[in-house]
Amino acid sequence: MAGEISFAATPLVPLCRRAGEGRCGPVKAFFDALALEGSCGVAPTEGRTRRLCAEAGLVLPASALRPLERLFDGFGRFDREAQLAQLRLASGELRRLKEELGAQLENRCRSAALLGLSAGAAVLILVI
């Protein structure tokens, strides 16, 4: 999106349509709905991201939804530089959240592996 805005100044509706191309069902549905609302211009922008995520079946943790709300609830109403700044901010927050959740996932996987080994050892002892 940042490249499209920087170099081609792509308007919101075509930008959303391109962002949804080739994505999984809920993500595509979200961007299609965002493009549709952007073309109508009558829907209120406050809470738009949360509502469209729910309608599209896109389930996100609250910590990931917050930066997307800040980005998409007002997206398309600002000049090019403000939109790029919003994108950078949301991207940075989501990248940090991804790293955080990745570290938590590794710990959960280790816990599950240890639990599996312990359960296997317990079953082996019971069988013997």
Side-chain angles (χ1 to χ4, degrees):
M1 291 180 94
E4 288 280 333
I5 293 170
S6 293
F7 300 113
T10 306
L12 177 67
V13 174
L15 185 65
C16 290
R17 288 200 178 112
R18 285 186 188 159
E21 288 176 1
R23 306 288 186 247
C24 67
V27 174
K28 182 174 177 15
F30 170 77
F31 279 111
D32 287 346
L34 193 60
L36 182 64
E37 282 202 7
S39 65
C40 296
V42 293
T45 58
E46 187 68 29
R48 169 173 59 181
T49 304
R50 186 174 298 272
R51 181 175 44 80
L52 293 179
C53 281
E55 289 173 7
L58 188 60
V59 180
L60 297 171
S63 55
L65 191 56
R66 267 184 248 109
L68 292 177
E69 283 180 311
R70 281 194 305 272
L71 175 65
F72 288 121
D73 280 359
F75 206 72
R77 293 186 296 168
F78 303 109
D79 66 348
R80 183 185 302 186
E81 290 306 314
Q83 287 178 340
L84 290 171
Q86 284 181 311
L87 275 169
R88 282 190 298 272
L89 179 64
S91 178
E93 287 182 53
L94 291 171
R95 198 172 293 117
R96 182 193 51 78
L97 181 63
K98 177 186 166 197
E99 290 169 3
E100 218 172 85
L101 291 174
Q104 289 177 3
L105 182 63
E106 286 179 27
N107 292 335
R108 287 182 185 169
C109 287
R110 273 191 230 117
S111 297
L114 287 174
L115 184 61
L117 286 172
S118 300
V123 168
L124 181 64
I125 291 171
L126 288 175
V127 170
I128 293 178

